[in-house]
Amino acid sequence: MSSLSDSFRKLADQVDQAEANVKAASSQGKAELQANVAEARRRADEQSAQLRSKAEDASNRASDGWQQVQDEWDAHVQRLRQRIDQKKAEFDRNEAEHQAEMAETDAVEAIDFAAAAIEEAEYAVLDATLARADADALMATA
């Protein structure tokens, strides 16, 4: 019975650690968060592989019901992972689109600024040319 109690305590500790990891995620930078996501996925894959191994070892002794539960769990995990990967791809596309739109807006603003600077430069050159012509005319009459 102690072994079951220990296993249950280990499960509770695992939940506590997962909760702490989820809470900490909101304050992590992108690189750290990506690393933690990869590590969580690795641990989940490892846990799933261990569960499959135990199920295979016990399949000779256990009822087919547990094998069916394991198969259904594996299918559920696969569906969940596919949805997560799809959402991530959609997010990546949406984020890339947003970044591209921001870069294009920056480019348009830089072009507009450059156009205004060219207009200002043209005005300054023409005004200087006029001032030089006025000065030369005054010098010629003096």
Side-chain angles (χ1 to χ4, degrees):
M1 194 63 143
S2 175
S3 176
L4 291 177
S5 178
D6 291 345
S7 293
F8 196 76
R9 179 70 251 159
K10 184 178 177 183
L11 177 62
D13 291 344
Q14 193 174 353
V15 169
D16 291 344
Q17 184 60 54
E19 181 181 20
N21 292 344
V22 168
K23 284 182 181 178
S26 65
S27 64
Q28 294 172 337
K30 184 175 180 178
E32 185 178 7
L33 188 55
Q34 286 174 326
N36 289 341
V37 167
E39 176 61 19
R41 187 166 188 163
R42 184 199 63 75
R43 286 192 316 266
D45 287 344
E46 185 178 281
Q47 186 71 31
S48 182
Q50 288 176 2
L51 187 58
R52 265 193 307 280
S53 177
K54 286 179 183 178
E56 288 171 9
D57 291 345
S59 67
N60 294 332
R61 295 173 283 140
S63 69
D64 289 338
W66 282 110
Q67 185 60 46
Q68 183 179 356
V69 168
Q70 177 62 41
D71 292 344
E72 289 171 3
W73 176 253
D74 287 344
H76 168 74
V77 167
Q78 285 302 107
R79 287 190 304 271
L80 181 64
R81 296 258 174 99
Q82 286 172 345
R83 280 199 314 268
I84 289 170
D85 289 345
Q86 182 180 2
K87 292 285 185 192
K88 184 180 181 306
E90 288 173 12
F91 176 78
D92 288 347
R93 282 191 300 272
N94 290 340
E95 181 64 19
E97 179 64 26
H98 177 71
Q99 291 297 324
E101 288 173 1
M102 288 183 60
E104 290 165 349
T105 298
D106 287 346
V108 167
E109 289 175 2
I111 290 168
D112 290 346
F113 179 82
I118 290 169
E119 291 293 332
E120 189 63 30
E122 180 184 7
Y123 162 74
V125 169
L126 292 175
D127 187 55
T129 302
L130 177 59
R132 174 54 55 203
D134 286 346
D136 289 347
L138 287 173
M139 292 299 264
T141 60

